[in-house]
Amino acid sequence: MDFGFVLNPSSTVDLGKVDTTLYDRLARRCPDVKTCMACGSCSATCSAAQYSGMSVRKVLLGLQRGNDVSAMLSNCMLCGKCTMVCPRGINTRNLILTLCRIHDGEGSK
Amino acid sequence: MKPAVAIIGGGIAGMEAARQLLLLGYTPIMIEKSDHLGGHVGEWHCLFPDMSPAADLVENLKNGIKGATVFLETGIAFINRIRDTYNVMLDNGISIPCQAVLFATGYELFDAAKKEEYGYGIYNHVVTNRDLELWFGGREDARFPAKPSTIGFVHCVGSRDIKAGNMQCSKVCCMTAIKQAIEMKEKFPKAEIYCFYMDLRLFGKKYEDFYIKAQRDHGIHFIRGRVSEVGENYDGTLQIKAEDTLNGKPLKLNLDLLVLMAGMVCGKDNAKLTAGLRMGLDTDGFLRSRDNIYGVTDSNRRGVFFAGACTGTKTIPETISEARAAVLGIHNYLMK
């Protein structure tokens, strides 16, 4: 039956049901990710950001909100500029590297 | 002989304390390392929230301490305790015996040149909040363009920054940036003004009014993102990069003038000053209060007291209140 309209899936994040397994696993290996205050310095200085949409800040937030961040990760060139500007001293380069390793299955071992 | 109280520091905390001690009949002896009284406030032009001239406050305080002994351009060699009194040895060889010691040593303004990525001291049109106040006060400064059309303010420079060694929020800079942004807009009504912030912390009386005024009456733009780097264009203007975190995209902007909100950091001589008293410092490098709730103006040594920003970042009214609280503490101690 065609009523002439469709229902869009809800864009609400049901925070109680978000699967944060990946984030929790990352936080165990890189505990400093928990100190991010979302200032965006990493994304502002990222040499891949303006063409690829890469953003360390968005990766960290996405992992905690159930977004798929794997496409973003593949754009990181591991140059490490983000690590230099982080005011909380988070080793962001290592964070991305660790996340890639977890994605590749190494983290489950 | 009235009991003598050594006051270390001739800023607003030290002066208000000296004034109150004189009123109570004590003998304050003030030691100031620079060649004038007034400290950082003496360099400021107008004070929020009522835009009152800083010079008036300093002048009133100075008038209140006539009769107090003041040593200018004098440092402290060491302080030690001799039975129930203290001996403050000055670097000019004079020894001051006193019954109590008040630390009113304040803070230091973060050296913005240490955040090299912001280009202070490298690019011509990068200044600090302090430079701006001095310029408001009439100081000539070639770094200020005659007619800037775009001006940026960077919040949290050297504060909330583990790499700069300062975890603490400097507390007054959010409000100072908004105050200065409004003042610049009034000077240059056609200029576009941008504040780059991580969090806006407008906790004090009438601070939120300033924020609303900046948005509604002055059209000042607030961008939620920390500036990551500053570069210089061929024509001498600046280009800054930040992430506009609310839009989720990297952002760049050309500016004629960039103002860095350098934060309050702990005094670099704190450890040396307190060494002879073995008081220790708090984890943030500021002087350690006996209790950070109930005994902020007390030290953990009998007869040694604190007032103002030596124990942490403070506003001016907080500093004045603490100076009075510390004097009451000294009075109670000396009456025993």
Side-chain angles (χ1 to χ4, degrees):
Chain A
M1 193 74 77
D2 182 8
F3 291 106
F5 65 88
V6 290
L7 284 176
N8 288 326
S10 169
S11 61
T12 304
V13 174
D14 190 345
L15 207 50
K17 290 181 181 158
V18 168
D19 178 11
T20 59
T21 315
L22 206 52
Y23 177 78
D24 297 339
R25 206 182 283 173
L26 175 67
R28 269 200 299 279
R29 292 175 61 165
C30 309
D32 53 351
V33 301
K34 290 185 258 183
T35 64
C36 174
M37 55 181 165
C39 70
S41 298
C42 48
S43 322
T45 209
C46 176
S47 36
Q50 63 185 116
Y51 301 109
S52 69
M54 173 61 194
S55 164
V56 181
R57 180 189 65 79
K58 278 190 197 169
V59 166
L60 277 183
L61 183 68
L63 287 172
Q64 295 171 82
R65 298 290 185 273
N67 305 345
D68 182 15
V69 297
S70 51
M72 233 191 286
L73 286 179
S74 67
N75 293 319
C76 176
M77 303 184 287
L78 295 172
C79 73
K81 268 183 88 183
C82 48
T83 305
M84 296 181 73
V85 295
C86 177
R88 283 278 164 96
I90 302 172
N91 189 340
T92 45
R93 184 184 184 277
N94 183 53
L95 178 162
I96 296 291
L97 206 55
T98 307
L99 211 47
C100 290
R101 283 175 183 149
I102 293 173
H103 253 287
D104 289 348
E106 186 241 52
S108 55
K109 282 172 199 165
Chain B
M1 180 70 186
K2 298 167 188 169
V5 179
I7 300 176
I8 305 165
I12 56 166
M15 286 200 288
E16 176 62 14
R19 191 176 80 85
Q20 298 289 346
L21 284 168
L22 284 170
L23 290 172
L24 288 170
Y26 295 103
T27 309
I29 300 158
M30 186 181 280
I31 304 122
E32 163 59 39
K33 66 181 172 188
S34 79
D35 63 356
H36 61 278
L37 297 176
H40 296 277
V41 177
E43 297 181 327
W44 240 243
H45 180 239
C46 279
L47 306 176
F48 54 79
D50 297 327
M51 301 306 278
S52 44
D56 288 2
L57 173 67
V58 173
E59 214 43 48
N60 286 341
L61 288 169
K62 274 186 194 166
N63 289 335
I65 60 165
K66 282 174 182 157
T69 306
V70 178
F71 289 92
L72 292 175
E73 292 181 89
T74 307
I76 307 284
F78 61 84
I79 306 167
N80 57 355
R81 191 180 170 112
I82 302 165
R83 279 193 291 276
D84 276 344
T85 66
Y86 286 92
N87 174 45
V88 178
M89 182 58 96
L90 307 183
D91 61 5
N92 57 15
I94 296 172
S95 160
I96 297 175
C98 53
Q99 276 70 50
V101 178
L102 175 67
F103 282 86
T105 48
Y107 67 95
E108 281 174 37
L109 203 63
F110 177 74
D111 175 10
K114 284 183 183 167
K115 296 292 301 172
E116 207 178 321
E117 61 266 41
Y118 291 156
Y120 185 73
I122 302 170
Y123 306 131
N124 189 28
H125 299 303
V126 182
V127 299
T128 63
N129 41 2
R130 176 179 175 269
D131 297 330
L132 184 53
E133 286 295 327
L134 289 167
W135 182 73
F136 284 145
R139 185 177 80 162
E140 295 280 325
D141 193 331
R143 291 172 295 182
F144 287 83
K147 274 195 185 135
S149 57
T150 47
I151 304 168
F153 286 83
V154 184
H155 294 222
C156 305
V157 175
S159 47
R160 304 182 71 196
D161 187 339
I162 206 162
K163 298 239 177 73
N166 302 304
M167 279 302 294
Q168 76 279 355
C169 166
S170 176
K171 190 164 150 177
V172 296
C173 328
C174 280
M175 181 54 211
T176 304
I178 292 176
K179 181 200 80 109
Q180 293 184 336
I182 291 175
E183 287 175 294
M184 284 307 258
K185 188 74 181 180
E186 283 169 346
K187 263 188 193 298
F188 306 106
K190 285 188 180 147
E192 294 294 338
I193 300 187
Y194 301 84
C195 286
F196 290 85
Y197 69 95
M198 295 197 281
D199 300 288
L200 281 175
R201 298 182 165 178
L202 300 162
F203 56 92
K205 184 178 168 74
K206 295 201 216 173
Y207 291 10
E208 199 71 20
D209 301 18
F210 268 78
Y211 183 20
I212 292 170
K213 202 171 119 184
Q215 291 176 296
R216 186 189 56 206
D217 303 340
H218 299 284
I220 288 160
H221 309 283
F222 291 89
I223 315 285
R224 193 193 172 278
R226 184 173 174 271
V227 171
S228 70
E229 52 187 286
V230 179
E232 195 174 38
N233 295 316
Y234 184 69
D235 62 0
T237 60
L238 303 162
Q239 188 184 76
I240 62 156
K241 280 186 185 180
E243 190 199 10
D244 182 351
T245 59
L246 299 179
N247 193 31
K249 284 180 184 163
L251 176 149
K252 60 181 179 180
L253 178 67
N254 280 337
L255 295 171
D256 296 331
L257 179 68
L258 184 67
V259 186
L260 306 177
M261 305 309 295
M264 292 181 178
V265 302
C266 62
K268 63 177 187 302
D269 296 333
N270 282 355
K272 184 175 155 260
L273 272 175
T274 55
L277 300 168
R278 295 193 303 279
M279 297 195 301
L281 301 180
D282 213 335
T283 50
D284 54 8
F286 286 85
L287 301 183
R288 189 165 69 202
S289 295
R290 186 177 54 76
D291 183 286
N292 281 322
I293 293 172
Y294 196 61
V296 177
T297 59
D298 301 330
S299 76
N300 48 22
R301 291 282 173 271
R302 284 170 47 77
V304 179
F305 298 84
F306 302 134
C310 60
T311 54
T313 58
K314 302 275 159 70
T315 64
I316 293 172
E318 284 168 344
T319 299
I320 299 289
S321 301
E322 281 191 10
R324 294 173 186 169
V327 167
L328 191 59
I330 292 169
H331 177 65
N332 288 335
Y333 169 73
L334 294 175
M335 292 292 279
K336 274 182 192 164

mmCIF file of all heavy atoms in Angstrom, chain A residues 87-88, chain B residues 158-170 284:
data_model
loop_
_atom_site.group_PDB
_atom_site.id
_atom_site.type_symbol
_atom_site.label_atom_id
_atom_site.label_comp_id
_atom_site.label_asym_id
_atom_site.label_seq_id
_atom_site.Cartn_x
_atom_site.Cartn_y
_atom_site.Cartn_z
ATOM 1 N N PRO A 87 45.480 19.701 24.043
ATOM 2 C CA PRO A 87 45.762 20.349 25.328
ATOM 3 C C PRO A 87 45.663 19.388 26.513
ATOM 4 O O PRO A 87 46.121 19.713 27.604
ATOM 5 C CB PRO A 87 44.687 21.438 25.424
ATOM 6 C CG PRO A 87 43.568 20.943 24.591
ATOM 7 C CD PRO A 87 44.182 20.137 23.492
ATOM 8 N N ARG A 88 45.052 18.239 26.300
ATOM 9 C CA ARG A 88 44.971 17.244 27.372
ATOM 10 C C ARG A 88 46.084 16.201 27.251
ATOM 11 O O ARG A 88 46.116 15.235 28.012
ATOM 12 C CB ARG A 88 43.598 16.576 27.354
ATOM 13 C CG ARG A 88 42.487 17.453 27.951
ATOM 14 C CD ARG A 88 42.501 17.349 29.470
ATOM 15 N NE ARG A 88 41.750 18.388 30.138
ATOM 16 C CZ ARG A 88 40.488 18.282 30.554
ATOM 17 N NH1 ARG A 88 39.824 17.195 30.316
ATOM 18 N NH2 ARG A 88 39.917 19.259 31.217
ATOM 19 N N GLY B 158 47.360 28.770 27.525
ATOM 20 C CA GLY B 158 48.224 28.384 28.646
ATOM 21 C C GLY B 158 47.459 27.956 29.876
ATOM 22 O O GLY B 158 48.059 27.633 30.897
ATOM 23 N N SER B 159 46.136 27.958 29.818
ATOM 24 C CA SER B 159 45.359 27.390 30.920
ATOM 25 C C SER B 159 44.556 26.217 30.363
ATOM 26 O O SER B 159 44.340 26.134 29.160
ATOM 27 C CB SER B 159 44.431 28.432 31.543
ATOM 28 O OG SER B 159 43.723 29.131 30.559
ATOM 29 N N ARG B 160 44.129 25.317 31.234
ATOM 30 C CA ARG B 160 43.479 24.058 30.839
ATOM 31 C C ARG B 160 44.342 23.363 29.789
ATOM 32 O O ARG B 160 43.851 22.847 28.792
ATOM 33 C CB ARG B 160 42.074 24.310 30.283
ATOM 34 C CG ARG B 160 41.179 25.066 31.247
ATOM 35 C CD ARG B 160 39.802 25.255 30.672
ATOM 36 N NE ARG B 160 39.067 23.998 30.621
ATOM 37 C CZ ARG B 160 37.977 23.818 29.886
ATOM 38 N NH1 ARG B 160 37.516 24.768 29.136
ATOM 39 N NH2 ARG B 160 37.354 22.663 29.915
ATOM 40 N N ASP B 161 45.632 23.388 30.010
ATOM 41 C CA ASP B 161 46.568 22.910 28.997
ATOM 42 C C ASP B 161 47.688 22.134 29.679
ATOM 43 O O ASP B 161 48.569 22.716 30.304
ATOM 44 C CB ASP B 161 47.117 24.128 28.234
ATOM 45 C CG ASP B 161 47.968 23.729 27.051
ATOM 46 O OD1 ASP B 161 48.472 22.588 27.027
ATOM 47 O OD2 ASP B 161 48.131 24.563 26.144
ATOM 48 N N ILE B 162 47.619 20.821 29.550
ATOM 49 C CA ILE B 162 48.580 19.960 30.242
ATOM 50 C C ILE B 162 49.978 20.134 29.663
ATOM 51 O O ILE B 162 50.980 20.020 30.373
ATOM 52 C CB ILE B 162 48.103 18.484 30.159
ATOM 53 C CG1 ILE B 162 48.648 17.666 31.323
ATOM 54 C CG2 ILE B 162 48.444 17.840 28.829
ATOM 55 C CD1 ILE B 162 47.900 16.374 31.549
ATOM 56 N N LYS B 163 50.048 20.501 28.370
ATOM 57 C CA LYS B 163 51.362 20.661 27.733
ATOM 58 C C LYS B 163 52.057 21.929 28.233
ATOM 59 O O LYS B 163 53.274 22.013 28.237
ATOM 60 C CB LYS B 163 51.195 20.738 26.215
ATOM 61 C CG LYS B 163 50.600 19.489 25.611
ATOM 62 C CD LYS B 163 51.526 18.881 24.582
ATOM 63 C CE LYS B 163 50.977 17.595 24.031
ATOM 64 N NZ LYS B 163 49.848 17.807 23.126
ATOM 65 N N ALA B 164 51.237 22.909 28.621
ATOM 66 C CA ALA B 164 51.809 24.136 29.165
ATOM 67 C C ALA B 164 52.053 23.977 30.663
ATOM 68 O O ALA B 164 52.521 24.904 31.323
ATOM 69 C CB ALA B 164 50.884 25.308 28.894
ATOM 70 N N GLY B 165 51.698 22.823 31.213
ATOM 71 C CA GLY B 165 51.921 22.562 32.635
ATOM 72 C C GLY B 165 50.883 23.205 33.538
ATOM 73 O O GLY B 165 51.099 23.314 34.746
ATOM 74 N N ASN B 166 49.772 23.654 32.959
ATOM 75 C CA ASN B 166 48.747 24.317 33.767
ATOM 76 C C ASN B 166 47.391 23.664 33.527
ATOM 77 O O ASN B 166 46.736 23.939 32.537
ATOM 78 C CB ASN B 166 48.659 25.802 33.418
ATOM 79 C CG ASN B 166 49.977 26.495 33.609
ATOM 80 O OD1 ASN B 166 50.546 26.463 34.688
ATOM 81 N ND2 ASN B 166 50.497 27.070 32.547
ATOM 82 N N MET B 167 46.989 22.824 34.448
ATOM 83 C CA MET B 167 45.711 22.129 34.300
ATOM 84 C C MET B 167 44.537 23.041 34.643
ATOM 85 O O MET B 167 43.425 22.829 34.204
ATOM 86 C CB MET B 167 45.672 20.906 35.231
ATOM 87 C CG MET B 167 46.393 19.693 34.680
ATOM 88 S SD MET B 167 45.712 19.172 33.089
ATOM 89 C CE MET B 167 44.076 18.636 33.579
ATOM 90 N N GLN B 168 44.812 24.069 35.473
ATOM 91 C CA GLN B 168 43.684 24.826 36.023
ATOM 92 C C GLN B 168 43.029 25.744 35.006
ATOM 93 O O GLN B 168 43.674 26.212 34.068
ATOM 94 C CB GLN B 168 44.116 25.639 37.250
ATOM 95 C CG GLN B 168 44.908 26.899 36.953
ATOM 96 C CD GLN B 168 46.382 26.630 36.692
ATOM 97 O OE1 GLN B 168 46.857 25.521 36.809
ATOM 98 N NE2 GLN B 168 47.112 27.669 36.334
ATOM 99 N N CYS B 169 41.740 25.964 35.222
ATOM 100 C CA CYS B 169 40.995 26.965 34.467
ATOM 101 C C CYS B 169 41.365 28.311 35.066
ATOM 102 O O CYS B 169 41.353 28.492 36.277
ATOM 103 C CB CYS B 169 39.504 26.709 34.620
ATOM 104 S SG CYS B 169 38.456 28.069 34.072
ATOM 105 N N SER B 170 41.681 29.253 34.205
ATOM 106 C CA SER B 170 42.107 30.560 34.708
ATOM 107 C C SER B 170 40.916 31.445 35.086
ATOM 108 O O SER B 170 41.084 32.544 35.621
ATOM 109 C CB SER B 170 42.984 31.238 33.658
ATOM 110 O OG SER B 170 43.338 32.513 34.044
ATOM 111 N N ASP B 284 48.633 21.938 42.213
ATOM 112 C CA ASP B 284 48.618 22.802 41.031
ATOM 113 C C ASP B 284 49.755 23.829 41.044
ATOM 114 O O ASP B 284 49.818 24.688 40.173
ATOM 115 C CB ASP B 284 47.261 23.521 40.917
ATOM 116 C CG ASP B 284 46.886 24.277 42.188
ATOM 117 O OD1 ASP B 284 47.729 24.374 43.099
ATOM 118 O OD2 ASP B 284 45.752 24.766 42.270
#
